[in-house]
Each structure stands twice: as C-alpha cells, then as structure tokens.
Amino acid sequence: MAQVQRMSKLMVKTLRDDPADAETLSHKLLVRAGYVRRNAAGIWTWLPLGKKVLDNITRVVREEMDAIGAQEVLLPALLPKEAYEASGRWEEYGDLLFRLKDRKGADYLLGPTHEEIFTQTVKDQCSSYKDLPVMLYQIQTKYRDEARPRSGVLRGREFQMKDSYSFDTTDEGLAESYALHRAAYIKIFTRLGLDHRIVSAVSGAMGGSASEEFLAPAAAGEDTFADCPNCDYAANTEAVTFKAAVAAAEAPGAVEELDTPDTPTIETLAAHLGVPASATLKNLLVKIDGEIVAIGVPGDREVDLGKLEEQLAPAVVELVTAEDFEGRPDLVRGYVGPQGLDKVRYIADPRIAAGTSWITGANKEGKHAKNVVAGRDFEVDDYLDVVVVEAGDPCPNCGTGLTLDRAIEIGHIFQLGRKYADTFQLDVLGQQGKPVRVTMGSYGIGVSRAVAALAEQTADDKGLAWPKEIAPADVHVVAAGKALQTELALDVSEKLGAAGVRVLVDDRPGVSPGVKFTDAELIGVPQILVAGRRSSEGVLELKDRRTGEREELTVEEAIARLVG
C-alpha cells in the first residue's frame, strides 16, 4: 500500500511570483512549488515535497551501487585536521574549507570529500590481499565554503553527495572497479531521466590520472563541454587538448625590430601592422606560487585561467599587478616577448611549436619584433593546453570543428591511483607474502544537484515536470471544488493507494479549482487526475503533465491505467 498525501494536511506553500534573488529556472521553480526554502546563502531546507524527490534519487543511487557490490558506510562529517594536513589538502583547499576549533583548541573541518578518511578506514580494516578488492560508498552531507553560492541548490555550501571509493591491489583491478562504477552511473542517470554526456576531464585537487565527468546539458550549467559532431569525442573544455602547430616550410629571416608606438595590446598591434591577430604572440604574465611566469598563446586566443589552475593544481595562480613590474627592467608592460626572458619560466600553448614564427614584444617600450622563431630565438620550458576553447576548434581525434554547450556536472569518476595510499602507507600483504601498495578510485554523484539538474532539463513554462522514478507522487488527484468532487477524489485516491500508487490529492477546502490546477502543474507530478464536472457520472479526466494529453475515464479505467 502506498501513501496517500492530502494537501489539506501537507506543509506546502506555493508562490505565484519568482523569488527576487533567483536566476536559474530550477531555483525559481523549486522555491515557488514549495520544495525548498532558503535559510542563508547556500544553505537550504528541504521541505516535504523536496525531501521526497531527494530520497527517490538517493534510492536509485543506492540500488545501483549495491548492484555492483559496493558496501554502504557512513563516515563523520566533522573531521580532524591531521588527515587533510597529511595529504596537503588542508592548504590546497584554501578558503573552500569550513575550519573550526573545539573547546580544547584542536583543529577540525567539515568534510568536502572523504578520500583521506576512507583510506584510513581501509588501512584499519584490511590487512591482506584476501580482503580486497572492496568498494565502499556513503550518501552524506558535504560542505564547501563557496565564495558565491548561487542558483539555489545547484551550488550550495551544504549539499548531499554520494561518494564511493574502490581499493584494489593491481592497476588492472582498479580499471575493473572504474568500469563498474562507470556502467552504474549510466544506469543511475538513465533511471533518473537525466540527459547526460560522459566527457574527459581533469582531476584537479582530487589528484590521480584517468578522469571523466557526467554532465547534464542545461542553460544554467556552469561547465562548458566540447562535443564532436563527427566522432565520439567529448571533453570538458578544461581537458581539451590540441596538436602542436606545423612550422612553415621555409625558415623565416632574422629577427627584425619594429617601431610600434602606442601598441600595448594585440588589437592595437595588429591594426598598426595590418596583420591578423593570429600572426602575433601574446604573452600573459602570471604568478605561480609567487613566481612570475610567462604564458604564450597565439594573439587571437585568450588564456583560460581556470584551465591553467587545473593544469597546475595545487599551485596557486594569480595575475601580476603593477607592483610586480617594479625592479624588473626585463619586463616591459605591454611589450613582453619570450626572447631574452632568461629569468622567467615560459609556458606555451602547443601552437607555439618549434619552428613557428611570430610577431611579439621586443622587451622595449614601443617596440615589437617579427620573425621571432620558437626553438631558435627562444625556448619553451613547458607546453600546456591553456587557451579558451572556441566553437569550431578542431577535434583532437578527427579534426572536425567542435561544438560547445553548457552543462551541469552531476557526477565525476577518477582513477586516483596510489596518491592517498602513499600518503597513508596503505599496504596489504600480497600473495607472495610481501607488502603490496593499494590503488584507489574515487567516484562522486551530486545527489542534491541532480534535483536541480532534473528541474532544469524537464520543466516548462507552467512549472516542474518530474520523471516518474523520482517524482514526489505518481498521480496528483485534484478535487475541483464541490463536496461531490472531493468525495470522489478521496475515494479514488484511497483505491489507488491500496493498489500501490503514490498519491498526492488536493482536497484543500476554500481553494478555487483554478488555483488547484495551477499548483498541480507547478508541482509537476507526472499524471494529474481531476474529479470535475462529470463526477456525478463517475467520470474523471486524466492529464499527462508533460505532454498535456487528456482523456476522460471511469474510476475503474483510471485506476487500471495508473496501476498498470
């Protein structure tokens, strides 16, 4: 028997107008439909309808994790500093960590993610290769002190997450655990009704090697991913790579200094010389852990600072300021060129390949130089893909122009390798009687974020429109006014509940049919069953919330349709 929830007794307050601070569709509708309420910036209360949706998503995640043999645990959210200090993440996470002290002055944090604690747990519980492989997971509240929490539950400072971890004795075993999680994630997001893409990603502060993201395309997404229309390539723009440029067939002449007054920008330089910006070399100065470094990219491209930070994590990347030029006569603001920068590390985009020729700064005020050749006139210390990816850039696999789309990150899987096992000396006794270092995987799903992602993908101009698997009810029964309609609505609701159908019935007295219909569409249960003008004949109207299709059915027909 399923629950029959009467709206006359349900704590729900719908709103006609959007919240003043809401920017995204999910933020507006989840508040208006009475699913969540804001307590403070990035902190939300899940009201009864919202908690039902959250629990349904949690149920699907739990079922699919159990299906691959993962075991559920629950670790503390309040964690001691020492474990994160040992891994370096006490410092790496910076201001994102919620830090606190107990009454004795000991340092603690609210967990943003639990690699360290899971590693310590397995070290305590597993001593032999016979204890492995093992996969553990938890569904728990996480905390990150976001600088700008926004978009409702999409980016909060407190959020629900499923994080799981695999522990194997071999790299082949890790690959198998990774594949199991990848397949489980596909099943989870398919069951949830989320349109999703699997894309290559970077590991960032998590560490490790192989990394993939599960993205839900949506206009409100904060991630941008590149997709190839010709092959199966897809990647977060921070993970897109490009091939090195091919040098010109004929070697250019010697470096020639040009008089270019008042041209400190690529735009002014290109206009002055009458050349395309792509013929120039842009040199952006940044500080990496306090050291000034030059980043070279073609003049028609921009440096993606987020991508640079991901590539160099955990190093801190900052733009230089006017003060950084003081006492550095080798750095001429607006006229920097890589030739002669002996005291500055030079990182370049792959397009700045050996043999390519450029127009760039001459390291003199009002002067530029042409025929400056990479590998002849300057050396590149490191090559990194750090440009902002643009639509039409060539696919790294087949060369077709890439398309760009916005998306919400709903899952991320990593092959961590032995980073945390090395930190905590996680060894087990191997088959040969010698210690074997364990290798790990880390796999996350944003459970509360999935609620917002589904709202973004499935809502329409009338309100939410949940997939059946995660909706707060299977059918929303509406009593359109009079006592007869209410009696019929309650009667059919009880029969549906007895047959195992989850029912939300609007039996609120004194509420007009128009308001009830509007709320039914706003709340977004998949089927709406109306006891209306033909109630005296025992005839109901069944409406599909998503398609808007309607049909009149007898009570028996309606029950048979909804139960089936």
Side-chain angles (χ1 to χ4, degrees):
M1 183 169 181
Q3 182 187 27
V4 175
Q5 176 66 65
R6 293 190 179 196
M7 288 189 68
S8 61
K9 300 182 182 300
L10 177 67
M11 190 178 74
V12 61
K13 182 180 180 181
T14 59
L15 305 175
R16 299 280 77 83
D17 298 319
D18 295 332
D21 61 338
E23 298 176 358
T24 60
L25 184 62
S26 59
H27 185 178
K28 296 172 184 176
L29 293 178
L30 289 172
V31 172
R32 283 186 52 209
Y35 283 74
V36 298
R37 284 293 183 271
R38 179 182 183 273
N39 294 98
I43 303 174
W44 293 85
T45 291
W46 291 86
L47 298 172
L49 287 176
K51 184 63 165 57
K52 287 179 183 291
V53 171
L54 192 66
D55 286 348
N56 285 334
I57 291 177
T58 300
R59 171 182 52 79
V60 171
V61 171
R62 181 174 283 118
E63 288 172 358
E64 294 300 338
M65 293 307 300
D66 290 347
I68 63 170
Q71 303 172 58
E72 186 172 8
V73 298
L74 182 60
L75 274 60
L78 179 64
L79 305 171
K81 169 187 177 181
E82 288 74 18
Y84 287 78
E85 200 169 41
S87 68
R89 296 206 294 180
W90 178 262
E91 297 298 332
E92 287 173 20
Y93 263 102
D95 292 338
L96 277 175
L97 278 187
F98 277 104
R99 307 164 197 263
L100 63 155
K101 292 181 181 289
D102 68 9
R103 65 182 65 196
K104 297 179 181 179
D107 287 306
Y108 290 83
L109 67 144
L110 295 177
T113 182
H114 279 69
E115 279 76 9
E116 290 86 348
I117 311 304
F118 269 93
T119 304
Q120 290 180 329
T121 300
V122 171
K123 182 179 175 68
D124 176 67
Q125 297 291 314
C126 301
S127 57
S128 167
Y129 74 94
K130 296 178 181 178
D131 300 324
L132 301 180
V134 67
M135 294 182 290
L136 304 174
Y137 77 96
Q138 65 174 347
I139 300 171
Q140 193 211 46
T141 303
K142 305 286 188 179
Y143 301 88
R144 290 178 190 166
D145 193 1
E146 295 282 356
R148 290 185 61 244
R150 56 194 180 276
S151 303
V153 298
L154 198 55
R155 180 171 287 277
R157 295 193 292 170
E158 176 186 275
F159 52 94
Q160 294 290 311
M161 182 176 173
K162 187 284 300 179
D163 54 327
S164 56
Y165 304 86
S166 62
F167 299 84
D168 290 272
T169 56
T170 65
D171 292 339
E172 293 77 14
L174 169 58
E176 290 178 13
S177 297
Y178 185 90
L180 283 171
H181 275 84
R182 193 179 192 273
Y185 275 34
I186 293 172
K187 291 182 180 178
I188 288 168
F189 296 129
T190 300
R191 284 183 62 184
L192 295 181
L194 273 166
D195 176 24
H196 64 278
R197 303 286 187 278
I198 306 173
V199 305
S200 300
V202 293
S203 298
M206 296 290 289
S209 53
S211 173
E212 290 178 296
E213 287 178 342
F214 288 74
L215 300 180
E222 294 181 329
D223 282 57
T224 303
F225 73 99
D227 199 17
C228 179
N230 187 54
C231 71
D232 61 357
Y233 179 83
N236 189 303
T237 52
E238 294 178 350
V240 174
T241 59
F242 295 105
K243 296 178 181 178
V246 179
E250 296 183 9
V255 175
E256 181 180 342
E257 190 172 285
L258 305 173
D259 186 25
T260 53
D262 301 319
T263 58
T265 67
I266 293 297
E267 292 75 15
T268 54
L269 174 64
H272 180 83
L273 296 177
V275 298
S278 58
T280 67
L281 176 59
K282 180 185 296 183
N283 302 288
L284 178 70
L285 297 180
V286 299
K287 289 187 292 186
I288 300 176
D289 284 342
E291 175 194 0
I292 294 180
V293 175
I295 311 295
V297 300
D300 61 337
R301 306 306 292 256
E302 298 295 330
V303 175
D304 187 333
L305 290 175
K307 195 173 183 179
L308 181 63
E309 289 173 346
E310 290 282 4
Q311 298 263 15
L312 298 175
V316 176
V317 179
E318 306 169 277
L319 290 173
V320 297
T321 63
E323 290 73 23
D324 293 311
F325 286 89
E326 296 176 3
R328 294 295 302 267
D330 57 324
L331 302 177
V332 182
R333 195 170 189 177
Y335 297 90
V336 172
Q339 69 284 9
L341 288 184
D342 298 330
K343 299 179 182 179
V344 176
R345 178 183 170 198
Y346 196 71
I347 297 174
D349 179 79
R351 296 172 182 82
I352 319 301
T356 55
S357 179
W358 304 92
I359 299 170
T360 190
N363 300 306
K364 298 178 184 178
E365 185 73 30
K367 301 288 186 181
H368 281 83
K370 72 175 184 178
N371 299 332
V372 179
V373 179
R376 184 191 74 179
D377 304 311
F378 67 93
E379 296 295 332
V380 175
D381 295 304
D382 295 290
Y383 281 102
L384 290 177
D385 286 291
V386 293
V387 299
V388 174
V389 177
E390 298 176 355
D393 280 341
C395 169
N397 287 352
C398 71
T400 302
L402 296 172
T403 60
L404 300 183
D405 289 294
R406 304 292 296 173
I408 298 166
E409 181 184 339
I410 50 176
H412 205 154
I413 56 179
F414 305 83
Q415 290 190 30
L416 289 178
R418 295 173 175 82
K419 174 180 177 178
Y420 295 95
D422 287 342
T423 297
F424 297 100
Q425 297 184 322
L426 175 56
D427 296 326
V428 295
L429 192 65
Q431 286 181 287
Q432 307 304 318
K434 296 180 180 179
V436 174
R437 183 62 40 98
V438 172
T439 185
M440 293 171 56
S442 175
Y443 318 90
I445 287 178
V447 175
S448 51
R449 174 170 277 222
V451 176
L454 275 164
E456 291 288 339
Q457 286 192 343
T458 60
D460 58 24
D461 59 350
K462 296 181 180 67
L464 299 163
W466 300 112
K468 181 179 180 180
E469 183 88 48
I470 62 97
D474 297 318
V475 60
H476 188 148
V477 179
V478 177
K482 300 177 182 179
L484 177 63
Q485 283 90 342
T486 301
E487 182 181 344
L488 178 61
L490 292 175
D491 179 63
V492 74
S493 295
E494 291 300 326
K495 290 177 179 176
L496 286 167
V501 178
R502 298 172 300 142
V503 180
L504 177 65
V505 54
D506 195 343
D507 62 334
R508 292 175 293 176
V511 178
S512 72
V515 170
K516 290 183 178 181
F517 295 146
T518 299
D519 281 350
E521 300 209 310
L522 178 62
I523 289 170
V525 172
Q527 299 288 336
I528 301 171
L529 186 64
V530 180
R533 59 185 177 81
R534 296 188 63 187
S535 293
S536 61
E537 304 170 47
V539 176
L540 306 165
E541 181 184 80
L542 182 64
K543 177 182 177 180
D544 186 288
R545 170 63 186 87
R546 188 179 299 279
T547 66
E549 294 179 0
R550 305 166 183 260
E551 59 180 321
E552 291 188 334
L553 302 169
T554 64
V555 171
E556 292 74 19
E557 289 171 338
I559 292 172
R561 179 72 57 82
L562 292 166
V563 170

